[in-house]
Amino acid sequence: GGRVRRRVGGVGPGGGAGGRWPRRPRGVGRREDKRQAGRGARGGGTAYGLAGIGTGTAAQVASSGVRAAGWSVAVIDHQPFGEAGALRGCDPKKMLISGAEAIDMARRMRGRGVTGELAISWSDLMAFKRTFTDPVPANHEQRYAEHGIDAFHGQARFTGQTTIEVDGPTLPARHVPLANGPRPMPPTF
């Protein structure tokens, strides 16, 4: 039928280990889809081959690979585009922790050749962190555009098995991977 088979071996085209992408499902990514590639539902109601919900690393890898295979692709996110790690997690945390570690190390070395008083200017440290995090959403959007992937900002809601509404417009799609990351669970106490 119209199911995508799993890729066998490795990471995929250009991603090492020589893996291959699955055969295209019947009617997906063929000549008629290639004419619509990058336009999808926006360009006249043609279904996207893939409309991914989420714009982090998993979504970017999947959508770029599928687009390279000739499918029409869209991505949808209601948050700023990019993975949580680059925007709110690992990367910003490392920027903030590095300032605290520098102060801690200097204090430990006091009397062992290190002199002077150090302090953290949180406003300066946060500004430094933002030099890394602020460009992430625009960079992701630019990458999607360069690959011919339509990007939609808004809350995605399934209106059928193969249709997604994004704050008004309805996007028909043959495949809809959910790559929207984990949602934190608030404590119950």
Side-chain angles (χ1 to χ4, degrees), residues 44-69:
T46 301
Y48 285 101
L50 180 133
I53 299 175
T55 57
T57 302
Q60 190 169 6
V61 169
S63 62
S64 295
V66 170
R67 180 69 186 105

Side-chain angles (χ1 to χ4, degrees), residues 142-162:
Q142 180 179 348
R143 242 178 263 125
Y144 286 125
E146 288 170 356
H147 286 97
I149 296 169
D150 289 342
F152 292 86
H153 289 273
Q155 190 73 38
R157 185 175 72 86
F158 283 94
T159 56
Q161 285 188 324
T162 60

Side-chain angles (χ1 to χ4, degrees), residues 82-159:
E83 68 273 11
L87 293 169
R88 299 171 295 281
C90 304
D91 296 348
K93 175 193 75 173
K94 290 173 187 172
M95 299 296 145
L96 300 176
I97 288 175
S98 65
E101 287 175 338
I103 297 294
D104 179 58
M105 184 56 69
R107 287 182 180 154
R108 290 176 191 226
M109 292 300 296
R110 191 172 293 134
R112 295 178 178 89
V114 175
T115 60
E117 208 45 51
L118 293 176
I120 291 179
S121 166
W122 283 105
S123 60
D124 290 346
L125 190 57
M126 290 300 287
F128 175 64
K129 178 209 58 116
R130 285 188 199 101
T131 65
F132 290 88
T133 57
D134 285 357
V136 170
N139 290 345
H140 274 258
E141 284 193 65
Q142 180 179 348
R143 242 178 263 125
Y144 286 125
E146 288 170 356
H147 286 97
I149 296 169
D150 289 342
F152 292 86
H153 289 273
Q155 190 73 38
R157 185 175 72 86
F158 283 94
T159 56

Side-chain angles (χ1 to χ4, degrees), residues 12 26 70 78 84 99 129:
R26 187 175 268 167
H78 71 282
K129 178 209 58 116

Side-chain angles (χ1 to χ4, degrees), residues 9-84:
V11 178
R20 294 182 305 160
W21 291 103
R23 275 187 24 207
R24 292 184 190 114
R26 187 175 268 167
V28 175
R30 304 271 188 246
R31 182 181 301 152
E32 62 275 8
D33 284 334
K34 288 181 183 180
R35 282 195 303 262
Q36 293 293 329
R39 292 188 308 194
R42 241 187 225 168
T46 301
Y48 285 101
L50 180 133
I53 299 175
T55 57
T57 302
Q60 190 169 6
V61 169
S63 62
S64 295
V66 170
R67 180 69 186 105
W71 295 25
S72 57
V73 177
V75 293
I76 307 157
D77 209 328
H78 71 282
Q79 295 186 20
F81 282 20
E83 68 273 11

